[in-house]
Amino acid sequence: MGNNKTKLGLTAVMAAMMLATAACGSQSEQDSGASPDPAASTAASAAPSGSPQSQKHLRMMVGVIGGKTPEEHVLFEKEVERLTGIKVTMEKPSGNMNDKLLPAISAGEKYDLIQVDKPLMEILYDQGVLMPLDDKIKASSIISDPAVFPAQEWDQVRLKDGKVYGIFTKFQGGTMPVVRQDWMEKLQLQEPKTLDDYYNVLKAFKEKDPDGNGKADTYGLSTAGLYEIQGFMSGAGVKAGYVVKDGTRTIPYASEAAIPVYEWFAKLYKEGILDPNFATNDSGKMRDLFLTDRVGMVTYWDAWVGMFNNTRLQKDPATTFKAKGLLPAQGPDGKVIMRRGDPNVWIIPVNSPDPATAMKFIEFWSTEKGNILGTLGIEGEDYTVKDGKYELTQTGKDHGQDHGSPFIYNTKWQNPFGLLPGVKEAQELVLKHATLETTGSSWKEVEKILNNYALQAMQGKIPAADAVKKMNDELKAAKLID
């Protein structure tokens, strides 16, 4: 599940598309027109003719696509082969994918397909290892179909030369504050609109025993470091990433405008409202606090609103737990700033041994059978079908209908199980308000500087103004801002 770019506004048509296609598992069947299913012809053309020598084989590297466990990942590869006739090896690094992929590419290793987000795609583009895909997209009746991928979305994956180098693996949602709505209702709290409102809600979560156990053991807010504090930076009108003004690169998180938000966090920290381990949390630890009644609000993805609710419902169908996505805090102008996730795409390296079969796989992934695999998972393992009726196994329920593509673009297939609780409302906020961030290949260097001083300021270890000055000094010295 990751830094974005270029601003994007989504239309009402897109909203309808996304709501029809998503959930932490996404979609249902294809439309019932009489025309041939292009996925069937794709699979047929790739299927083996009988001799082992005729079977195509693809080597891939993936991030989140595939099985949820090593054992299921093997089943996932076999399911791809069953559905397409293509034998696949889907290498799935256990750690940071960049640490495995970039040295492999530098060493000249050959992959047919790689799943990446846009920042990594830009790094690979700068290294000259990406194959432009415009002609292949135009030649594909599947990929060029605006019902499969809306035309306006392709601008997200055009790079400096105006060419498209990636084809979407899924629809990326956005991030937001996610609240324990059941606690809100129990404490009779109103939905927060400003930073002051947010402070009052978080303070109540800390002080008014929302879990009802008679102990002072809850926090108002937890984060995973600076990850996704955009919802609160919005209260000062500050956008994450780079913002270019009159040709000058700026980083608003390192600007004076961000000082009041760092001070707001320092106040939460001092008063014990902010989880004291927020600076060292990873997202897993943050999620666990939310799911175990230790914290009332986190900052995370729209998809996880549904996954939080689904996780608790699976454990206890009678639970009162209710997660809800919130709008970010309003800025001085009354507007909000919300993050849209980086596009996640398939890329074909220039040294791919078999780009034609790689495109056949992408076509498969973009149609009904691929959508089912990427969301519901493996037939017989995650779900069963009898007389056209789908039923999730317990494994499928535990996997939350997410095998790498919990949300898709394709409007020709709809999830037979509908949306997980809370996802529709969270996605509506994203579709209406979220925009992409601009980062770039040097963003990791930027993050080190921001994290060093911002986290100190948020813990009250150094004044926020000093933190911002030091950020600026180091960013300028490294030529990361102008």
Side-chain angles (χ1 to χ4, degrees):
M1 222 90 246
N3 312 305
N4 309 40
K5 333 249 153 179
T6 51
K7 200 169 181 179
L8 180 72
L10 292 177
T11 64
V13 173
M14 271 300 299
M17 287 180 178
M18 293 332 348
L19 296 175
T21 55
C24 255
S26 326
Q27 301 97 29
S28 130
E29 283 216 274
Q30 226 169 13
D31 56 28
S32 55
S35 59
D37 178 4
S41 61
T42 297
S45 65
S49 62
S51 71
Q53 290 82 1
S54 67
Q55 186 177 22
K56 299 294 186 179
H57 178 260
L58 295 177
R59 183 190 183 194
M60 311 180 193
M61 185 177 290
V62 296
V64 296
I65 287 172
K68 293 290 193 179
T69 64
E71 294 76 18
E72 195 197 27
H73 194 66
V74 173
L75 297 178
F76 194 93
E77 292 174 326
K78 291 180 178 178
E79 184 74 346
V80 170
E81 184 176 359
R82 182 183 76 83
L83 293 170
T84 67
I86 304 169
K87 185 175 180 61
V88 299
T89 300
M90 306 179 87
E91 299 176 15
K92 193 174 185 180
S94 57
N96 187 321
M97 183 171 170
N98 291 23
D99 294 341
K100 166 71 174 176
L101 176 62
L102 295 178
I105 293 294
S106 297
E109 290 196 41
K110 295 181 179 181
Y111 290 90
D112 295 290
L113 278 173
I114 306 172
Q115 180 201 1
V116 300
D117 60 13
K118 189 173 181 181
L120 181 51
M121 180 170 66
E122 290 177 328
I123 292 172
L124 296 172
Y125 170 82
D126 289 341
Q127 294 179 356
V129 300
L130 299 186
M131 182 181 295
L133 302 176
D134 302 76
D135 291 344
K136 290 178 169 53
I137 292 168
K138 186 177 180 180
S140 170
S141 62
I142 298 171
I143 305 302
S144 63
D145 185 347
V148 176
F149 297 118
Q152 65 267 34
E153 291 290 272
W154 290 109
D155 285 342
Q156 295 184 76
V157 288
R158 293 188 196 282
L159 298 184
K160 298 173 186 177
D161 61 2
K163 296 179 181 179
V164 172
Y165 288 87
I167 297 173
F168 303 104
T169 66
K170 57 183 174 180
F171 166 76
Q172 281 283 45
T175 61
M176 61 190 64
V178 180
V179 72
R180 284 290 299 268
Q181 181 62 20
D182 53 316
W183 287 8
M184 294 277 288
E185 293 167 3
K186 178 179 180 179
L187 300 179
Q188 298 183 319
L189 299 170
Q190 298 298 310
E191 187 167 315
K193 297 186 183 305
T194 66
L195 276 179
D196 286 342
D197 293 341
Y198 268 99
Y199 170 81
N200 291 331
V201 166
L202 299 175
K203 183 179 176 67
F205 288 164
K206 167 67 178 175
E207 297 178 350
K208 295 188 177 181
D209 192 25
D211 61 348
N213 68 356
K215 300 177 182 178
D217 61 352
T218 54
Y219 300 110
L221 174 67
S222 184
T223 72
L226 286 188
Y227 186 65
E228 297 323 315
I229 66 167
Q230 175 66 85
F232 305 115
M233 281 293 185
S234 173
V238 171
K239 183 173 177 60
Y242 276 106
V243 173
V244 179
K245 295 182 178 180
D246 300 324
T248 300
R249 295 175 303 161
T250 70
I251 297 175
Y253 273 32
S255 71
E256 291 185 359
I259 291 174
V261 183
Y262 293 134
E263 292 174 339
W264 181 83
F265 272 101
K267 181 179 181 181
L268 295 181
Y269 187 83
K270 181 178 181 180
E271 296 180 10
I273 297 170
L274 179 60
D275 165 24
N277 297 315
F278 84 96
T280 56
N281 280 346
D282 59 22
S283 58
K285 291 177 182 177
M286 177 190 72
R287 294 195 304 261
D288 288 345
L289 289 173
F290 192 69
L291 285 167
T292 56
D293 303 331
R294 294 295 314 284
V295 69
M297 190 179 295
V298 292
T299 55
Y300 216 38
W301 292 91
D302 53 355
W304 270 92
V305 176
M307 294 173 78
F308 284 136
N309 286 323
N310 183 62
T311 299
R312 287 291 293 260
L313 283 168
Q314 291 305 315
K315 290 184 178 179
D316 177 13
T319 184
T320 60
F321 179 100
K322 185 179 179 182
K324 179 182 177 180
L326 298 177
L327 274 178
Q330 293 177 355
D333 58 0
K335 297 179 181 179
V336 301
I337 301 174
M338 179 181 279
R339 177 195 172 197
R340 172 89 185 268
D342 276 321
N344 192 275
V345 297
W346 294 112
I347 59 168
I348 302 178
V350 291
N351 66 348
S352 165
D354 194 350
T357 302
M359 274 301 297
K360 291 184 184 300
F361 174 85
I362 295 174
E363 288 182 325
F364 153 75
W365 188 257
S366 305
T367 50
E368 178 181 355
K369 291 180 180 179
N371 296 159
I372 292 172
L373 182 60
T375 55
L376 306 185
I378 303 165
E379 185 173 357
E381 173 75 7
D382 295 289
Y383 70 93
T384 58
V385 185
K386 185 176 182 180
D387 299 326
K389 183 178 180 180
Y390 287 76
E391 184 174 344
L392 290 174
T393 64
Q394 186 57 52
T395 296
K397 292 176 181 178
D398 292 341
H399 291 171
Q401 304 175 58
D402 178 7
H403 289 77
S405 298
F407 300 87
I408 63 162
Y409 284 103
N410 186 8
T411 59
K412 295 182 176 182
W413 188 71
Q414 295 181 350
N415 189 338
F417 302 103
L419 302 174
L420 292 178
V423 168
K424 177 181 177 181
E425 296 79 5
Q427 273 206 327
E428 286 174 340
L429 298 180
V430 172
L431 292 167
K432 185 175 181 180
H433 298 282
T435 57
L436 295 170
E437 295 171 1
T438 299
T439 53
S441 59
S442 61
W443 191 251
K444 289 295 181 184
E445 299 173 58
V446 173
E447 283 186 319
K448 291 178 183 178
I449 296 170
L450 295 183
N451 282 331
N452 183 26
Y453 295 111
L455 292 175
Q456 292 185 66
M458 292 161 71
Q459 295 172 89
K461 293 180 178 179
I462 60 175
D466 291 354
V468 165
K469 183 179 184 307
K470 289 178 179 179
M471 289 181 208
N472 266 279
D473 290 344
E474 292 193 15
L475 291 167
K476 288 178 179 177
K479 300 188 185 309
L480 295 169
I481 58 175
D482 300 319

